[in-house]
C-alpha cells in the first residue's frame, strides 16, 4: 500500500512532509496510510506571502467580485468532490457523514456567494447600519464602515469535519477580502489537503489567497500581529493554550474560538410518549449520537426528559441504538463508522469510565459489540453508549466532560425551570434543543436558557418535516456559544464576514460620507443629470444625480376622489371634526398613499426606457400631514447602485417630498431595476 505524502501548500508551492512528519493511521484498519508535517516550513514567510501577495489581490476586488469567485469555486469543488469522498472513508466517515462534511461545506460556500451578492455592495467598503445624525442642521454626520483587515486569517481546525470546517471559515474570510492560512487537524488532513489541491487546481483564487499547513504550526503563531485573526476550532484546552500566548494578548489579536460543548436536548413537559413529537425527540437523539460516530461539536450529550418519561425515553432510544449497524464505512449498510483514531477512541473510553461513577450504562457495551466488515480491535470502533443519571443535580462529570464520541446521558427533570437549570449546567453550549408544541415553553426556555446557548432549536410536529436538525449549523445562522463553547460566533450570514473586517466609525459632512461609502447621504450636494434619470441606463447613472419636480397642489376633490376610488374612507381624510380631534391632524388630511401616487406621477418618465420595474420601497416615513390646498414637490436622487445580473442592476433612489414651505412631508427609498 502506498503511503500518502500529505504536503503543505506554502507560498504558492506544494511542500512534501519532512522533518517532524507525523503518521496518519486508517480509522478502520489502524495501518499507517499517510504522513504529514514539515518543521522546516517557512512559517513567517507564509504569513508575509499572505499579507503581501494574497491580501492586496483580494482587496483590489469588490465584495461582488469575491462573491462571484466563491460561486465559481463552489461549482468547481462540486464537480470534483469525489476525490475528497474517496479519502474520507479512512477517517471513519460513512458516505452520509461525508455528505454533511463535503456537500455541506460546498453548500456553505454557495450561501456566502449568494449573500455576498445580495446583501453586500459591489464596492470595497461595506456601510454597516444607518447614518447617525450628529448635528442639529445635518452638516456633520456619522456612519460605520467595514474594510478588510490587512493581515492574514489563520484557521486552526478540528479533525471531525475536515472540509466543512475549512470551507465554513474560508467562505466568509475570502468574501471579506482576507487571505487565509489553513491548518487542518493532522488526523484527517489528507481530506483537507485534497480540497486545497482542488482549490489550487481550479486557478480561481488569486495567488496567496489560501495556504495550508499539514502537521504542526512551528513558530507561525509567534509572528501573528494585530491585523491577523485566529479562528480556532477544537478542544477548550488547546484554545486556552493558544489564546493566552503573550503576543496574542499583547497585540489584541482577534481570536474566534469554537470549542467543545455539552449540548442538551429537552423533551418538553407537554410531550407524551406515543406522539409524533416524542418519536421526533428520540430520532434526533439517535441521529446526534451516531452521525460521525458522535464526533460532532453540536451532538446531544445530555438528554433531559420529565422524570416520569425517562423510562420511556431510555426504552425507545435504546431500541434504536441497538439496531444501529456499526462497521466499515465503505459498506452502504453501515450506519455508524469508526472514530477518527484509536487515540480518540481511548479518550472516549477514559471519559466513559468517569461517567460510570455517576451514571449507569443502560445501552451499548464497549467490550462486546458487533462490527460488520472490519476488525473491531484494529480499528477505532465503538458502539453508541447511553447512560442514565438518576441524580443530575449531584453529578459533575456529565455536565463538564465531553466524551467526543457516540455517548450521551439521559436525566430526569421535575419542572421546566429544573430542565433549564440542567441544560445551563454545561456552562455555555453551542446548541440546546427543546421538543415542544408550546409557545409558552419556548419563550420560557429563551428567557431562562438563551444566555447560556449559542442556538436554541425548537421542533415539533408543525416543523419536523422541514427542520434542519439539532446538530446542523447553518451558514445563515450564527454558530458558536458562550462560556466553555468558546465565546465565538461564526457564520450567521454577513455577520460572519465581519470577523475578518474592521468596523470603523466615520464622521464628517454629508459630502465626505457620500464619497466614502459610495452611497449618497441626505444633505450631500446633488449632481445635475444631462437628461431625466429614468432615461439613463444603469452604467450611465452617477451616485447623487438629482432632479426636483414641479409642484402639485393637493385639493379636497383629490382626497375625496382617492377615498372613493380605493375605498379608504378613514375618518382622518373624510370627517373634519373627527380628524381635528385627533392629536396628529389639524383637520382632514391627504392619504399618505395618495401622496406616494402623486409623487410617482411627478417624477416618472412615462416612455419605455431603461427603468424596468419598481421592486419596492424602504424606510417610508410620513413626516408632516398634507392638508387640502398644500402643494408638494419631489426631490429624486440616485442613492446607491448594485448590479444584479448581466442585464440589470438595482438603483436605490432617495425620494423626499416637501410642501410649499419646503418642509419635509414624506421620505423613502425607492428600489428599481434598471437595464445595464
Ligand atoms: P484539538 O486537539 O484541540 O485540536 C484542534 C486543532 O488545534 C487541531 O488542528 C490541532 O492540530 C491544533 N493544535 C493543537 N495544539 C496546537 C498547538 N500547540 N498549536 C497550534 N495548533 C494546535 O481538538 P480536536 O481533537 O482536533 O477536535 C475535537 C474537539 O473539537 C472537540 O472537543 C470538539 O467539541 C471540538 N469541536 C468544536 C467545534 C465547534 O464548532 N465548536 C467543531 C468541531 C469540533 P493537530 O491535529 O495537528 O494536533
Amino acid at each position: 500500500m502506498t503511503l500518502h505524502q500529505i504536503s503543505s501548500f506554502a507560498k504558492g508551492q506544494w511542500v512534501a512532509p519532512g522533518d517532524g512528519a507525523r503518521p496518519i493511521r486508517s480509522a478502520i484498519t489502524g495501518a499507517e496510510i499517510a504522513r504529514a508535517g514539515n518543521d522546516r516550513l517557512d512559517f513567517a514567510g507564509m504569513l508575509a506571502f499572505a499579507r503581501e501577495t494574497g491580501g492586496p489581490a483580494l482587496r483590489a476586488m469588490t465584495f461582488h467580485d469575491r462573491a462571484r469567485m466563491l460561486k465559481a469555486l463552489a461549482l468547481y469543488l462540486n464537480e470534483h468532490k469525489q476525490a475528497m469522498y474517496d479519502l474520507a472513508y479512512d477517517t471513519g466517515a460513512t458516505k452520509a457523514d461525508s455528505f454533511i462534511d463535503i456537500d455541506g461545506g460546498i453548500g456553505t460556500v454557495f450561501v456566502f456567494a449568494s449573500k455576498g451578492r445580495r446583501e453586500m455592495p459591489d464596492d470595497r467598503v461595506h456601510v454597516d447600519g444607518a447614518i447617525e445624525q450628529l448635528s442639529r442642521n445635518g452638516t456633520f454626520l456619522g456612519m460605520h464602515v467595514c474594510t478588510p483587515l490587512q493581515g492574514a486569517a489563520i484557521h486552526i481546525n478540528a479533525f471531525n469535519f475536515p472540509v466543512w470546517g475549512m470551507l465554513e471559515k474560508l467562505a466568509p474570510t475570502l468574501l471579506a477580502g482576507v487571505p487565509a492560512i489553513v491548518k487542518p487537524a493532522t488526523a484527517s488532513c489528507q481530506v483537507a489537503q485534497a480540497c486545497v489541491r482542488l482549490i489550487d487546481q481550479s486557478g480561481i483564487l488569486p495567488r496567496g489567497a489560501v495556504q495550508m499547513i499539514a502537521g504542526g504550526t512551528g513558530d507561525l503563531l509567534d509572528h501573528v500581529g494585530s491585523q491577523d485573526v485566529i479562528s480556532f476550532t477544537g478542544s477548550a484546552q488547546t484554545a486556552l493554550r493558544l489564546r493566552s500566548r503573550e503576543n496574542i494578548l499583547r497585540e489584541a489579536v482577534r481570536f474566534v474560538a469554537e470549542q467543545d460543548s455539552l449540548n442538551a436536548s429537552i423533551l418538553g413537559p407537554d410531550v407524551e410518549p406515543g406522539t409524533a413529537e416524542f418519536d421526533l425527540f428520540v430520532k434526533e437523539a439517535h441521529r446526534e449520537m451516531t452521525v460521525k460516530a458522535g464526533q460532532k461539536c453540536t451532538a446531544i450529550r445530555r438528554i433531559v426528559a420529565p422524570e416520569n418519561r425517562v423510562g420511556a425515553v431510555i426504552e425507545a432510544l435504546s431500541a434504536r441504538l441497538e439496531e444501529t449497524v456499526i462497521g466499515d464505512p465503505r459498506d452502504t449498510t453501515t450506519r455508524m463508522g469508526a472514530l477518527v483514531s484509536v487515540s480518540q477512541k481511548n479518550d472516549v473510553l477514559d471519559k466513559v469510565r468517569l461517567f460510570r461513577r455517576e451514571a449507569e450504562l443502560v445501552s451499548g457495551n464497549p467490550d462486546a459489540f458487533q462490527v460488520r466488515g472490519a476488525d473491531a480491535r484494529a480499528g477505532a470502533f465503538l458502539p453508541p453508549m447511553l447512560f442514565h443519571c438518576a441524580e443530575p443535580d449531584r453529578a459533575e462529570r456529565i455536565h463538564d466532560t465531553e466524551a467526543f464520541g457516540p455517548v450521551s446521558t439521559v436525566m430526569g427533570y421535575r419542572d421546566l425551570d429544573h430542565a433549564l437549570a440542567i441544560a445551563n449546567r454545561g456552562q455555555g453550549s453551542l446548541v440546546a434543543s427543546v421538543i415542544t408544541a408550546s409557545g409558552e415553553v419556548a419563550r420560557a426556555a429563551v428567557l431562562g436558557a438563551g444566555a447560556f446557548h449559542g442556538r436554541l432549536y425548537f421542533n415539533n410536529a408543525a416543523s419536523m418535516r422541514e427542520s434542519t436538525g439539532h446538530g446542523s449549523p447553518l451558514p445563515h445562522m450564527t454558530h458558536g456559544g458562550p462560556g466553555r463553547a468558546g465565546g465565538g460566533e461564526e457564520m450567521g450570514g454577513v455577520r460572519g464576514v465581519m470577523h475578518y473586517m474592521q468596523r470603523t466609525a466615520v464622521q464628517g459632512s454629508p459630502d465626505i460620507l457620500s464619497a466614502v461609502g459610495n452611497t449618497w447621504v441626505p444633505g450631500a450636494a446633488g449632481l445635475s443629470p444631462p437628461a431625466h434619470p429614468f432615461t439613463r441606463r444603469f452604467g450611465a447613472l452617477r451616485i447623487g444625480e438629482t432632479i426636483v419636480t414641479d409642484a402639485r397642489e393637493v385639493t379636497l376633490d383629490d382626497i375625496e376622489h382617492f377615498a372613493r376610488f380605493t375605498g379608504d374612507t378613514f375618518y382622518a381624510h373624510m370627517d373634519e371634526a373627527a380628524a381635528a380631534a385627533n392629536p396628529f391632524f389639524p383637520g382632514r388630511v391627504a392619504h399618505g398613499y395618495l401622496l406616494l401616487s402623486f409623487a410617482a406621477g411627478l417624477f416618472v418618465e412615462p416612455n419605455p426606457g431603461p427603468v424596468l420595474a419598481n421592486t419596492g420601497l424602504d424606510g417610508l416615513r410620513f413626516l408632516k400631514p398634507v392638508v387640502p390646498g398644500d402643494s408638494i414637490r419631489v426631490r429624486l436622487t440616485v442613492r446607491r447602485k448594485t448590479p444584479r445580473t448581466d442585464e440589470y442592476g438595482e438603483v436605490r433612489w432617495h425620494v423626499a417630498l416637501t410642501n410649499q414651505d419646503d418642509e419635509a412631508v414624506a421620505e423613502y427609498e425607492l428600489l428599481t431595476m434598471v437595464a445595464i
Side-chain angles (χ1 to χ4, degrees):
M1 187 179 171
T2 47
L3 206 58
H4 292 284
Q5 302 295 317
I6 311 302
S7 299
S8 297
F9 187 51
K11 299 190 281 182
Q13 305 291 328
W14 287 95
V15 183
D19 295 349
R22 300 187 223 167
I24 299 171
R25 297 184 182 281
S26 163
I28 315 305
T29 64
E32 185 176 338
I33 52 169
R35 297 184 74 76
N38 190 329
D39 289 347
R40 301 223 174 144
L41 279 181
D42 173 11
F43 295 100
M46 288 176 76
L47 265 178
F49 186 65
R51 292 174 186 145
E52 289 157 24
T53 303
L58 287 167
R59 292 198 298 278
M61 302 163 83
T62 67
F63 292 102
H64 283 207
D65 292 336
R66 296 192 291 260
R68 277 189 288 270
M69 173 183 87
L70 285 179
K71 183 169 179 191
L73 185 64
L75 288 167
Y76 186 89
L77 293 176
N78 201 38
E79 216 173 291
H80 298 85
K81 62 190 172 194
Q82 192 56 41
M84 298 182 271
Y85 271 94
D86 291 344
L87 288 171
Y89 292 117
D90 270 312
T91 67
T94 62
K95 191 167 179 196
D97 294 339
S98 290
F99 178 79
I100 301 172
D101 185 33
I102 297 168
D103 283 87
I106 295 170
T108 299
V109 180
F110 274 122
V111 170
F112 274 98
S114 147
K115 284 195 164 283
R117 296 274 315 268
R118 275 188 287 118
E119 298 172 28
M120 302 189 87
D122 187 27
D123 199 351
R124 296 165 57 207
V125 172
H126 177 75
V127 177
D128 178 32
I131 298 291
E132 298 290 339
Q133 190 83 24
L134 302 179
S135 60
R136 185 182 294 246
N137 297 319
T139 60
F140 187 71
L141 305 173
M143 68 179 181
H144 294 88
V145 300
C146 299
T147 51
L149 290 174
Q150 299 194 9
I154 295 161
H155 297 166
I156 300 178
N157 299 335
F159 67 78
N160 55 342
F161 288 112
V163 178
W164 176 84
M166 177 166 67
L167 294 180
E168 61 102 4
K169 291 180 185 174
L170 268 185
T173 303
L174 295 172
L175 186 54
V178 176
I181 299 175
V182 181
K183 186 263 178 282
T186 306
S188 56
C189 72
Q190 67 272 34
V191 188
Q193 184 218 227
C195 187
V196 176
R197 282 207 183 263
L198 291 174
I199 293 174
D200 178 35
Q201 277 159 24
S202 76
I204 290 166
L205 302 190
R207 247 170 85 74
V210 172
Q211 301 177 78
M212 189 197 88
I213 297 169
T217 50
D219 63 355
L220 176 79
L221 298 184
D222 295 340
H223 302 284
V224 299
S226 60
Q227 286 292 308
D228 303 317
V229 187
I230 298 175
S231 208
F232 171 85
T233 305
S235 63
Q237 234 176 351
T238 312
L240 179 64
R241 211 167 50 238
L242 299 185
R243 79 190 326 170
S244 52
R245 291 170 67 98
E246 208 238 313
N247 64 315
I248 288 172
L249 294 173
R250 189 182 60 240
E251 304 251 348
V253 175
R254 284 190 203 179
F255 194 99
V256 182
E258 299 299 341
Q259 299 172 181
D260 47 34
S261 179
L262 277 299
N263 312 293
S265 180
I266 299 173
L267 180 68
D270 53 311
V271 180
E272 301 285 350
T275 61
E277 272 133 7
F278 186 86
D279 294 346
L280 169 67
F281 180 74
V282 171
K283 200 168 142 195
E284 292 245 13
H286 173 255
R287 184 169 58 202
E288 292 303 320
M289 286 182 71
T290 54
V291 167
K292 270 307 272 192
Q295 301 163 109
K296 267 171 67 177
C297 54
T298 48
I300 297 168
R301 304 289 173 209
R302 296 174 304 141
I303 299 168
V304 190
E307 274 169 354
N308 62 0
R309 278 160 232 166
V310 162
V313 168
I314 291 176
E315 191 184 332
L317 184 52
S318 300
R320 271 183 173 264
L321 291 172
E322 278 150 27
E323 280 171 10
T324 305
V325 177
I326 305 160
D328 184 340
R330 286 182 180 84
D331 182 338
T332 51
T333 61
T334 295
R335 174 74 198 254
M336 191 172 101
L339 278 74
V340 75
S341 63
V342 171
S343 76
Q344 184 61 29
K345 168 180 153 175
N346 290 337
D347 184 72
V348 170
L349 288 173
D350 286 347
K351 309 282 171 56
V352 161
R353 275 189 279 280
L354 285 181
F355 292 171
R356 281 190 144 153
R357 293 188 197 154
E358 47 191 49
E360 181 194 355
L361 185 63
V362 291
S363 177
N365 178 354
D367 300 319
F369 62 102
Q370 296 292 317
V371 174
R372 205 179 274 182
D375 178 352
R377 280 158 309 168
F381 295 96
L382 278 178
M385 285 169 273
L386 187 66
F387 283 88
H388 170 226
C389 177
E391 293 192 81
D393 295 337
R394 293 179 57 182
E396 299 286 342
R397 298 295 80 82
I398 55 166
H399 300 298
D400 70 10
T401 302
E402 182 198 42
F404 201 57
V407 183
S408 195
T409 303
V410 181
M411 53 200 94
Y413 69 81
R414 294 183 295 278
D415 54 26
L416 186 60
D417 282 347
H418 187 213
L420 300 177
I422 290 173
N424 296 350
R425 289 274 310 271
Q427 294 302 317
S429 88
L430 294 169
V431 51
S433 56
V434 187
I435 304 301
T436 180
S438 160
E440 269 174 43
V441 168
R443 189 172 153 80
V446 166
L447 289 168
F452 286 79
H453 308 277
R455 178 161 61 91
L456 286 176
Y457 170 91
F458 296 102
N459 207 355
N460 59 35
S463 51
M464 65 188 197
R465 272 171 209 87
E466 292 197 306
S467 58
T468 46
H470 162 106
S472 302
L474 298 174
H476 317 72
M477 311 296 291
T478 55
H479 171 60
R484 71 167 292 153
E489 246 188 26
E490 288 178 341
M491 303 197 291
V494 169
R495 292 175 191 86
V497 183
M498 299 305 166
H499 294 310
Y500 302 96
M501 304 180 81
Q502 176 62 40
R503 183 182 292 109
T504 305
V506 174
Q507 295 168 294
S509 71
D511 284 326
I512 292 290
L513 265 50
S514 295
V516 168
N518 214 4
T519 299
W520 184 83
V521 168
L527 301 173
S528 154
H532 190 289
F534 276 27
T535 64
R536 290 161 59 64
R537 299 181 83 84
F538 183 84
L541 281 170
R542 289 163 305 157
I543 304 291
E545 280 189 13
T546 301
I547 55 165
V548 179
T549 69
D550 292 338
R552 168 172 189 152
E553 187 182 338
V554 180
T555 67
L556 194 56
D557 265 0
D558 291 332
I559 295 171
E560 290 187 342
H561 179 73
F562 189 78
R564 277 194 305 276
F565 180 51
T566 61
D568 179 354
T569 52
F570 186 61
Y571 71 88
H573 315 303
M574 307 307 288
D575 181 336
E576 184 65 26
N582 178 313
F584 285 91
F585 304 123
R588 292 175 74 178
V589 296
H591 305 67
Y593 302 120
L594 171 61
L595 300 179
L596 294 189
S597 303
F598 279 166
L602 288 166
F603 66 65
V604 291
E605 152 59 46
N607 296 314
V611 176
L612 305 174
N614 168 358
T615 55
L617 298 181
D618 271 354
L620 173 61
R621 288 285 175 279
F622 295 116
L623 302 164
K624 189 173 170 67
V626 170
V627 299
D630 282 355
S631 31
I632 57 163
R633 68 171 75 232
V634 182
R635 174 190 238 266
L636 179 77
T637 306
V638 178
R639 177 157 160 69
R640 190 190 305 163
K641 299 189 334 178
T642 311
R644 290 290 175 223
T645 69
D646 291 344
E647 289 166 25
Y648 54 82
E650 180 189 274
V651 178
R652 191 171 269 268
W653 308 80
H654 184 261
V655 187
L657 275 64
T658 47
N659 64 16
Q660 61 285 352
D661 299 322
D662 214 20
E663 294 167 314
V665 300
E667 202 173 70
Y668 54 97
E669 287 185 10
L670 168 71
L671 306 179
T672 58
M673 290 300 170
V674 177
I676 293 287

